[in-house]
Amino acid sequence: MNKQNLHLWLLAAAIPLVAWLPLPDFWIVQLNYVGLYALVCLGLVLLTGVGGLTSFGQAAFVGIGAYTTAWLTLNLDLSPWLTLWIGLGLTAVSALIVGAITLRMSGHYLPLATIAWGLSLYYLMGNLDALGKYDGLQGLKSLSIGSLDIGQGRLFFVLTWAILLAGAVALLNLLDSRPGRAIRSLKTGSQMAEAMGINTFRYKVTIFVIAALFASVAGWLMAHFQRTVNPSAFGLKMGIEYLFMTVVGGVGHVWGALVGAGLIKLLDDYLQVALPALIGTSGSYEVIVFGIAMVLVLKYMPDGLWSLVTDLLPRTSRPVDWQDAADLPARHKPAPGDSVLSVRAVRKQFGGLLAVNDISFDIHAGQIVGLIGPNGAGKSTTFNLITGVIDKTSGEVLFCGESIGNLPSRAIARKGMARTFQHVKMIPDMTVLENVALGAYMRGRMGVLSAMLRSNRAEERRMMKEAQRQLERIGMGEYLHEQAGNLAMGPQRLMEIARALCCDPALLLLDEPAAGLRHKEKQGLAQVLRQLQGEGMSILLVEHDMDLVMDVCDHLVVMEFGTLLTQGTPAEIQASPAVRAAYLGTEH
Ligand code: ADP
Ligand code: MG
């Protein structure tokens, strides 16, 4: 049992303890509400804090859970233990539909869409006769097991908080896993994740559904606790409040959901009494205070209150328990000298601009080929055409003898092309090891459910072992547990190479790996590239630094104004008057 587990067991033990403390009933009721709200906030931590998708509409999913059980238990006399699952099913279906429509939206459109969705469900609930219109449905049963009423007071507290704790543990497990790392990569934009073979849209929908399911369970509990449901608890105002609780607590932290829900619930009750007394007239003044507080928190403490606690806690690094893990499955690689990449008359037109004009070149297994040329020559565009980031206007790319057509980058990555980025793309708050393990994503299979239930540990150990092996392979062994965001530029770029190697690629594509490096770091990079070449790796190197290119490449392809100027060995290129002219015209 590691330290993390110990904390969780202590928390689990604390729940029945609190329930039997001689607390006034009022406080138990308060804690019950805190637990219910925190459950919704847990979903928001995953969706908004980790995944970067802001939703104002979570209250609507609480409503689906609540109304489903209310209607079914009242009208069909079904058991609440059955209606819970029906509610979850309905929630999942609605979240899938709403998610599929809205999650492709970018920027501010998604939050706006969730507002629209929250509003429309509110008015739907308020206008349906079957749901009792704005009066809602009354007279629900309390939850019970046999003849034991667990729907009120202390037993309900134990039930709610046990579910909450289980949810929190499931989320913590999820975040520390193969799908969890994919989810954590969503905020960095989709390009990097897709290049690691991750279907980012599917993960967005997945976390949208998970967050909705957390909300739905809270709605089910709430309905039977209050014995009545009405639309006001599930409207936009509550949706905003859930988001507010999560942000105040710490939107990126699982325990922040609990802190935020607790603080806001208690503050809410206090202000609702204190403010009207202070001002002299009645009214929902607390909303104004919350509005101002939210702005202040967002400005001065964007990580929320829980970050104050995490700053105090010592950073614990993952215990190394994977030394004896089996190796991950490896790809069949082309034999030395076989064709790895064949670029044939590839062309890209941006409107009137011909960025890449019928470029052709070849890479054979074990070769390092450099793609060079002055700024704006079309190198990055060629790189993006090969990796599937953008579609070709015409031409063909054969990878290991097979045409890759206009496949998306994710599918090309799966075929064995791994890349790095001109501007380093990483997850700054993950360790170097975890960032590199993201590269092994395609070589694993374990999904969200096995991650939550922690039945993925054997595969996790294999992935961590592979990540460590790749880091050690390029001399980054002492950085395993560093936070990636704290690294200097040189180690960051090497980390990206390790991540790409973790994909077990047949071809490694590096986009300006020496950009921003100091002299010493460049020498280190050249050393790594020579070593990889010695190990038989095939590499396409887009690079500005002539010394590096001349030093490590077997073959050079020179571009100018989108066209192929010439190609040959470094010595031939250095002797070429055309190349000299091209470079003298624009650089040095
Ligand atoms: P390099 O990487 O060699 O510096 P690029 O491939 O980035 O050059 O750019 C080649 C040309 O294509 C440039 O003139 C650039 O302005 C243009 N270009 C690149 N991307 C786009 C785009 N998405 N839309 C329009 N023009 C583009
Ligand atoms: Mg470029």
Side-chain angles (χ1 to χ4, degrees), residues 348 350-351 353-356 372-384 390 422 511-512 542 544 559 562:
K348 181 67 188 181
F350 289 118
L353 178 85
L354 193 53
V356 175
I372 62 171
N375 257 324
K379 305 181 297 291
S380 288
T381 307
T382 306
F383 195 98
N384 288 335
I390 52 178
Q422 184 169 344
D511 197 358
E512 303 216 10
V542 171
H544 244 90
M559 287 181 76

Side-chain angles (χ1 to χ4, degrees), residues 46 83 104 124 158 166 189 214 245 287 322 431 498 512 520 567:
L46 179 68
T83 57
R104 286 197 199 272
L124 184 71
V158 174
F214 274 104
M245 291 176 194
V287 179
W322 52 79
T431 63
E512 303 216 10
K520 258 278 204 284
Q567 51 180 320

Side-chain angles (χ1 to χ4, degrees), residues 333-337 364-368 466 469-475 497-498 501-502 504-508 526-539 554:
K333 310 242 184 8
H364 299 281
Q367 259 190 329
I368 300 188
E466 176 69 5
R469 194 169 72 88
Q470 297 301 349
L471 277 162
E472 280 168 353
R473 181 176 179 189
I474 61 170
I497 295 178
L501 288 172
C502 229
D504 188 30
L507 175 66
L508 184 62
Q527 172 68 35
V528 165
L529 294 181
R530 271 192 297 263
Q531 180 201 327
L532 290 177
Q533 182 183 36
E535 294 166 13
M537 180 61 70
S538 321
I539 301 175
D554 303 298

